[in-house]
Amino acid sequence: MKSTTPLIFLLLCLFNVGNVFAQSDNVPRDTIYYHGNESLSMYILSADYHELSEDSRLLTIMQDFQSRLKEMKGDIPQNESYIIEYKFQTKIEILQSNKIVSYSLSANSGPTENFRNQAILTIPQSRNQVNIQFNDAEALMNADFKALLEGIVAELPEKNRHLRFLEYQYEGEIGKSKLIENKVSGDMDMLRLSAGIGANVYRSKFLTDISGELAFQFNKKGILKNQFYASTNLMFSFNEDNSPVINTFVNLGYKVNFSSQKDDPNWLGMEFGTIVNRNGDVFKPNTMRFGLNWAVGKGISVAPQLYFNGFFKEVTPGFRIGIGF
């Protein structure tokens, strides 16, 4: 049992590795599109749109941006397109834009001219961002952001774990913003079937296997985050006369994706398995196993394991490298 202590320590270290990987800000986010009048429109990108109803910092930041902009009003271009970049309590810059003219095209109507200028508000140490399109800086400096955000919050749908696109239209007749579109914009939950091959080391023996897996993957804000699965491994060894010996394990497991990048997942999980078809003397009766499963690259996984022989009478370490397809 003492010989298994380093392996147990390794299992725990690998499981905690997923928590310390650096997370990029370039992640899927909920999008709130405010389609106002001819003065301005606005996109709010948020890690969770429901944070708008729980945190008032966004209004504070937008009002601070307005006051800063008024102080440098004389530096705002009058006859050319520009972009304003603002980082809360860090900097504000006005940059020349290379945009000459921009139109939106529709099959049902003629071209519609888009706003010439843009303001980008970012918050350090946050995944929230506000993009405002406008023509006249006066409209931007005089906009009632408090009433605008209150109207958006009043129409927010219930909290949802799926990534969403929410579109608001300002209704001049009633002086309020109305939610006119609410749709899922990211991945949905999915059923996944996969197969693979593996190389195993157990009791100084080299075993190959063929595996199959059925997994239920659950989405959170545009990224597949949680996975529950059942799998089977047909493990091959050979007798002295080179005749094959096949032992079959069935496993149940759980994986979590620690990455915030949709196209660069980092799956780490644990599984418990038991032998259901035993042949030869490679495994003892009633052998069970516990291990971690870490996806180290596309289609490649490593799995340190502990085998429990004869209902936990003996513990033996093992290791598997898998290739999925």
Side-chain angles (χ1 to χ4, degrees):
M1 186 72 176
K2 291 182 180 179
S3 62
T4 64
T5 301
L7 183 63
I8 295 175
F9 179 75
L10 175 63
L11 296 181
L12 294 174
C13 288
L14 282 175
F15 188 75
N16 286 298
V17 157
N19 286 304
V20 299
F21 280 117
Q23 302 293 328
S24 169
D25 291 332
N26 186 25
V27 298
R29 291 176 285 187
D30 290 324
T31 301
I32 296 174
Y33 172 45
Y34 169 76
H35 182 66
N37 51 26
E38 67 280 356
S39 298
L40 59 82
S41 65
M42 178 173 67
Y43 287 90
I44 300 175
L45 308 179
S46 174
D48 185 345
Y49 66 84
H50 226 262
E51 292 179 354
L52 296 181
S53 62
E54 302 167 353
D55 193 341
S56 61
R57 286 181 301 171
L58 184 59
L59 176 59
T60 300
I61 292 166
M62 295 177 73
Q63 290 178 333
D64 181 75
F65 165 68
Q66 278 186 314
S67 63
R68 305 280 187 178
L69 197 61
K70 291 176 182 178
E71 293 174 0
M72 50 189 302
K73 181 178 179 181
D75 296 321
I76 298 176
Q78 299 297 319
N79 300 313
E80 56 184 306
S81 299
Y82 55 92
I83 298 173
I84 304 173
E85 293 186 355
Y86 166 77
K87 290 187 177 180
F88 181 55
Q89 294 183 339
T90 302
K91 71 173 184 178
I92 183 169
E93 293 182 336
I94 301 177
L95 307 174
Q96 186 175 5
S97 172
N98 58 5
K99 181 189 294 186
I100 298 176
V101 67
S102 174
Y103 286 91
S104 293
L105 303 178
S106 172
N108 300 321
S109 61
T112 303
E113 186 173 1
N114 297 321
F115 294 103
R116 297 189 304 271
N117 308 312
Q118 182 180 16
I120 303 174
L121 286 62
T122 57
I123 302 96
Q125 310 302 321
S126 171
R127 285 172 20 191
N128 297 335
Q129 180 175 307
V130 179
N131 293 356
I132 306 172
Q133 290 78 41
F134 63 97
N135 287 328
D136 188 353
E138 289 292 335
L140 181 61
M141 289 184 284
N142 296 326
D144 188 350
F145 286 132
K146 184 176 186 295
L148 191 155
L149 289 178
E150 287 177 348
I152 290 176
V153 169
E155 292 276 319
L156 283 176
E158 293 184 2
K159 190 177 179 65
N160 194 291
R161 64 183 173 88
H162 293 113
L163 200 69
R164 307 202 76 84
F165 175 84
L166 308 175
E167 181 177 353
Y168 286 79
Q169 173 70 56
Y170 179 76
E171 302 289 345
E173 296 81 3
I174 59 176
K176 294 182 179 180
S177 300
K178 301 294 293 183
L179 180 64
I180 61 173
E181 186 170 5
N182 175 6
K183 65 181 182 181
V184 175
S185 59
D187 290 337
M188 298 293 290
D189 303 335
M190 63 184 294
L191 178 67
R192 178 175 177 268
L193 293 170
S194 61
I197 57 175
N200 302 262
V201 177
Y202 172 73
R203 289 182 178 271
S204 300
K205 296 179 183 287
F206 177 77
L207 309 171
T208 58
D209 74 62
I210 298 176
S211 65
E213 181 179 293
L214 172 65
F216 295 91
Q217 295 182 319
F218 296 93
N219 159 83
K220 183 178 179 181
K221 291 301 176 185
I223 299 177
L224 293 171
K225 276 290 185 181
N226 299 283
Q227 174 179 309
F228 297 89
Y229 67 92
S231 65
T232 182
N233 299 101
L234 277 65
M235 303 182 69
F236 294 84
S237 60
F238 294 89
N239 289 322
E240 293 181 358
D241 60 358
N242 290 326
S243 60
V245 178
I246 302 175
N247 290 274
T248 305
F249 279 81
V250 170
N251 317 286
L252 294 176
Y254 167 76
K255 296 179 185 177
V256 60
N257 179 13
F258 287 99
S259 174
S260 61
Q261 302 299 302
K262 181 177 180 180
D263 299 323
D264 186 22
N266 176 32
W267 291 98
L268 178 63
M270 59 181 64
E271 67 179 25
F272 182 82
T274 184
I275 195 167
V276 295
N277 180 36
R278 175 179 170 270
N279 291 287
D281 59 358
V282 178
F283 299 100
K284 294 183 179 180
N286 304 316
T287 295
M288 293 174 285
R289 69 184 181 190
F290 169 80
L292 296 186
N293 194 327
W294 181 27
V296 297
K298 189 173 183 180
I300 301 175
S301 64
V302 296
Q305 300 166 328
L306 293 175
Y307 287 82
F308 303 89
N309 301 320
F311 284 119
F312 301 94
K313 292 180 180 179
E314 183 181 2
V315 180
T316 305
F319 194 80
R320 179 180 187 269
I321 297 178
I323 300 176
F325 48 85

